[in-house]
Structure formats: structure tokens, C-alpha cells
Amino acid sequence: MRQAKTIVWPGGEHDFMLNIGELRALEQRTNAGAFVTMTRLITSQWKIDDVVATIRLGLIGGGMLERDAKALVDTTLELASPYTLAVTAAHILEFSLMWDANDKPGEPVAGEGNQTQTRSPTE
């Protein structure tokens, strides 16, 4: 299972993740596919529910209780511009949709990964 990503945003520093259940809920809430929602966010053609639902569901997918996620998003909407939050929402969707299955956090373990061995011309 993929791990949540910690993001610093106007609401603080929290873990976010959109797993399949959250992505399906987002698609219902925004009446669009997840990539369509991400495109709207990136191109500044978003609806407020694109922003709010993405962040709220991302917090839930990251481990926060639903009521706490709703309260935090509501409070943050009073403190930050919707545009600033749209950038956060786009980041959450990008991370959740375009993750690299081979990308592992931390330093690579010796002997792992794509190591290319080179030979000197005399070998």
C-alpha cells in the first residue's frame, strides 16, 4: 500500500493520500474523473468543490477522521484564498494519481536499483 505524503499547506502540516475509495468519492463529488479534476485545478478552471473535496478526502485518506478533516478545511477556507488551496489540491491529486511504484522513500539499499556496471577500455 502506498504511504501518505506529508504536505505543508495553509492548514498546517498533514498527511494526504487519495486511495481508490477517496478517488471514487471525489469523482462523485466533483462529477468528473480524477484527471479531469486535476486538469481543472492546474489550468485554473476549477470549481470550489474541486478544491474542498480534494483536500478533505486527501486528509481522510491520509488518516484523519472525517469530522476533523471537514472542520480543518472549513477553518482553513476562512484563512487562505481558494486559489492557494487549489494549488494544494492539485498537488494532492498529482501525487495520488501519478505515483511511481518503483519509487521508494529514503536512500537506496546497496545492491538495489538499476546499477550500470561499466568496464574500462582495457577490460
Side-chain angles (χ1 to χ4, degrees):
M1 184 170 167
R2 295 178 293 139
Q3 292 186 358
K5 180 175 185 176
T6 302
I7 298 173
V8 177
W9 65 297
E13 184 174 342
H14 297 93
D15 290 339
F16 290 88
M17 176 54 74
L18 294 168
N19 295 302
I20 193 68
E22 290 86 21
L23 288 168
R24 286 181 174 149
L26 179 65
E27 289 180 347
Q28 290 177 346
R29 181 77 172 143
T30 61
N31 196 30
F35 274 101
V36 171
T37 300
M38 186 173 73
T39 301
R40 291 193 304 219
L41 290 163
I42 291 170
T43 61
S44 297
Q45 297 179 29
W46 46 267
K47 302 181 296 179
I48 196 67
D49 277 342
D50 294 343
V51 175
V52 173
T54 300
I55 294 173
R56 183 180 57 82
L57 289 165
L59 286 164
I60 293 166
M64 188 176 284
L65 295 174
E66 187 172 346
R67 69 174 182 271
D68 295 340
K70 181 182 181 334
L72 179 58
V73 172
D74 289 347
T75 300
T76 305
L77 277 169
E78 295 176 12
L79 304 173
S81 73
Y83 176 79
T84 301
L85 298 177
V87 172
T88 300
H91 187 67
I92 295 164
L93 264 169
E94 178 187 28
F95 169 77
S96 297
L97 292 172
M98 301 169 86
W99 56 283
D100 181 358
N102 295 320
D103 187 24
K104 297 177 184 172
E107 295 292 320
V109 176
E112 282 189 3
N114 294 332
Q115 296 179 346
T116 305
Q117 294 191 6
T118 58
R119 294 180 179 217
S120 69
T122 58
E123 288 184 279

